[in-house]
């Protein structure tokens, strides 16, 4: 199961995607390679499961591979895979499960890269009985927001500037650093309505602007669309990914996953596992995905049900600012994007009206 999920999270996907699952509409996932990167080293995913005792687990997480170190995309994939699988299979109180899951992510990346590669990891974990926690290592972030509510950042960057009051964005903690890593785990404040988990490719924009967008977004879908577009409008210097969760909608939803089944989503599709067999029960695309790509329309593989893009060659990661395209001639971005809308397995209904901002 672990290997199959790792392979699935590493598959070739479009450069941009923003999706809301038909069977998990309270969660919106988005990712964008940006305008200055040739590889997306972010991984964003959600997980839902219910055990035989009726305990439901829901997770949304973002991992950002460390530039300037070894294979950022691989490190982010390992971090996300081991975090999700450990949460799904470890027994015990939710907070203990989270600690074990972050530790497993850290150990897996450390085994692979020996401290020379790593990733950030920020997640929201909702367990049975109303337990709700934030888990965090690095400089991805979690925000609480909602209509007519103050935007509040629930995490502090593990950077030199924010952790010890110094200067610079160098990280003092990251997934894969080794046994010294100590995750931040905290309960989500009561009364929180919506949550946004973002990689630094989104929250690099000016703080007041980001807060204004979140405060004026009527839904998590509109928040995801607006921030993803804004990151690109401001130059798209980095991979931009986010997971957006409507807590009030989740509270009123019935579990969509059968007992002993684990379902994982990313911005391009979903994968379902049987916990008993530890093998995939099904794999299918999202019910609705709005994609923007510069690949030719002829490249759409109609039999697969989603766009296929040419495999990109891997590049050594740059520094944390990911300046790994020096000397490479960039394509012109003056032309307007081609908008492709793909609807599969029914329609979610009318969108918020912000789909193509």
């Amino acid at each position: 199961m672990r290997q199959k999920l790792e392979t699935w999270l590493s598959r070739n996907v479009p450069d941009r995607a923003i999706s809301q699952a038909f069977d998990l509409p309270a969660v919106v996932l988005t990712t964008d390679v940006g305008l200055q990167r040739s590889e997306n080293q972010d991984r964003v995913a959600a997980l839902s499961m219910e055990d035989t005792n009726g305990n439901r687990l829901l997770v949304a997480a973002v991992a950002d591979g460390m530039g300037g170190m070894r294979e950022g995309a691989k490190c982010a994939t390992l971090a996300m895979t081991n975090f999700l699988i450990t949460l799904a299979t470890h027994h015990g109180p939710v907070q203990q499960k989270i600690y074990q899951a972050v530790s497993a992510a850290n150990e897996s990346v450390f085994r692979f890269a020996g401290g020379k590669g790593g990733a950030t990891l920020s997640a929201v974990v909702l367990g049975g009985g109303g337990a709700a926690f934030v888990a965090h290592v690095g400089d991805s972030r979690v925000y609480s927001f909602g209509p007519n509510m103050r935007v509040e950042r629930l995490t502090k960057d593990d950077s030199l500037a924010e952790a010890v009051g110094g200067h610079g964005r160098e990280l003092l903690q990251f997934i894969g650093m080794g046994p010294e890593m100590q995750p931040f785990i905290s309960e989500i404040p009561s009364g929180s309505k919506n949550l946004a988990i973002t990689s630094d490719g989104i929250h690099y924009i000016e703080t007041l602007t980001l807060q204004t967008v979140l405060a004026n977004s009527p839904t998590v879908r509109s928040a995801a669309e607006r921030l993803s577009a804004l990151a690109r409008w401001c130059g798209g210097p980095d991979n931009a990914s986010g997971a957006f969760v409507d807590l009030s909608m989740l509270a009123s939803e019935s579990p969509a996953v059968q007992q002993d089944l684990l379902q994982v989503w990313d911005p391009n599709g979903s994968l379902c596992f049987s916990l008993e067999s530890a093998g995939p029960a099904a794999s299918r695309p999202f019910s609705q995905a709005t994609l923007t790509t510069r690949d030719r329309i002829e490249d759409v593989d109609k039999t697969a049900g989603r766009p296929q893009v040419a495999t990109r060659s891997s590049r050594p990661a740059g520094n944390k600012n990911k300046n790994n395209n020096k000397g490479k001639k960039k394509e012109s971005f003056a032309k307007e994007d081609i908008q492709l809308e793909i609807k599969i397995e029914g329609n979610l209904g009318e969108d918020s009206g912000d789909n193509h901002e």
Side-chain angles (χ1 to χ4, degrees):
M1 180 167 64
R2 197 178 303 266
Q3 182 59 48
K4 292 180 184 299
L5 179 57
E6 181 184 332
T7 300
W8 185 75
L9 289 172
S10 303
R11 72 199 188 285
N12 188 40
V13 294
D15 284 349
R16 302 172 68 186
I18 181 167
S19 296
Q20 187 169 12
F22 178 80
D23 39 10
L24 193 65
V27 178
V28 177
L29 306 176
T30 180
T31 194
D32 185 349
V33 72
L35 299 178
Q36 300 180 32
R37 303 288 165 250
S38 62
E39 180 186 31
N40 194 339
Q41 296 187 354
D42 289 354
R43 296 293 181 267
V44 54
L47 174 150
S48 180
M49 64 169 287
E50 183 181 1
D51 63 23
T52 54
N53 297 320
N55 298 315
R56 189 184 183 192
L57 177 70
L58 189 136
V59 185
V62 170
D64 181 358
M66 299 279 293
M69 302 181 78
R70 180 180 173 186
E71 296 190 52
K74 174 73 170 181
C75 290
T77 299
L78 286 171
M80 183 67 75
T81 298
N82 287 275
F83 178 69
L84 295 180
I85 295 299
T86 304
L87 273 174
T89 57
H90 187 81
H91 300 288
V94 175
Q95 195 165 0
Q96 184 183 59
K97 287 161 65 81
I98 295 171
Y99 184 84
Q100 293 294 332
V102 178
S103 297
N106 178 55
E107 290 167 8
S108 68
V109 177
F110 185 75
R111 282 196 304 270
F112 167 71
K116 298 179 180 180
T120 72
L121 178 66
S122 293
V124 171
V125 181
L126 308 176
F133 292 91
V134 168
H136 169 74
V137 178
D139 65 355
S140 298
R141 296 178 179 176
V142 181
Y143 295 88
S144 173
F145 70 100
N148 303 314
M149 295 180 64
R150 183 173 66 91
V151 177
E152 181 181 1
R153 176 145 65 107
L154 304 183
T155 58
K156 178 187 291 186
D157 294 352
D158 285 321
S159 64
L160 189 63
E162 293 202 6
V164 297
H167 299 280
R169 298 179 57 225
E170 293 83 1
L171 294 185
L172 303 180
Q173 282 208 125
F174 56 89
I175 299 294
M177 66 179 289
E180 299 83 8
M181 187 273 300
Q182 292 295 324
F184 169 80
I185 301 173
S186 178
E187 289 191 63
I188 295 172
S190 60
S192 298
K193 177 175 174 55
N194 298 328
L195 299 172
I197 313 170
T198 60
S199 68
D200 58 358
I202 285 183
H203 61 247
Y204 83 94
I205 60 179
E206 200 273 333
T207 300
L208 181 59
T209 302
L210 183 145
Q211 292 178 342
T212 302
V213 170
L214 288 175
N216 290 279
S217 297
T219 66
V220 291
R221 173 93 188 197
S222 61
E225 290 168 345
R226 292 172 181 183
L227 287 180
S228 181
L230 183 59
R232 181 166 279 241
W233 293 343
C234 292
D238 202 352
N239 307 149
S241 301
F244 298 78
V245 183
D246 186 328
L247 295 175
S248 58
M249 184 183 295
L250 277 178
S252 62
E253 281 184 353
S254 299
V257 180
Q258 299 177 33
Q259 291 182 346
D260 288 329
L261 287 183
L262 182 155
Q263 191 159 2
V264 179
W265 295 263
D266 75 357
N268 292 281
S270 68
L271 189 66
C272 192
F273 292 95
S274 167
L275 294 179
E276 292 182 355
S277 64
S283 178
R284 57 185 175 78
F286 266 118
S287 56
Q288 178 170 319
T290 302
L291 310 174
T292 306
T293 178
R294 292 183 178 81
D295 296 282
R296 296 174 300 169
I297 294 178
E298 295 84 28
D299 288 340
V300 174
D301 181 349
K302 295 181 180 179
T303 61
R306 61 180 178 82
Q308 302 294 310
V309 295
T311 302
R312 296 180 181 275
S313 60
S314 298
R315 291 175 168 269
N319 56 24
K320 186 65 181 87
N321 293 327
K322 299 180 184 174
N323 295 320
N324 54 3
N325 293 320
K326 186 175 181 181
K328 183 177 184 296
K329 184 177 179 181
K330 300 297 293 181
E331 62 175 311
S332 172
F333 293 101
K335 297 181 180 180
E336 291 186 356
D337 294 335
I338 299 172
Q339 299 291 329
L340 302 180
E341 184 160 327
I342 300 169
K343 297 183 179 180
I344 302 169
E345 297 181 3
N347 199 308
L348 291 177
E350 293 297 326
D351 290 326
S352 64
D354 303 301
N355 288 356
H356 305 295
E357 293 187 13

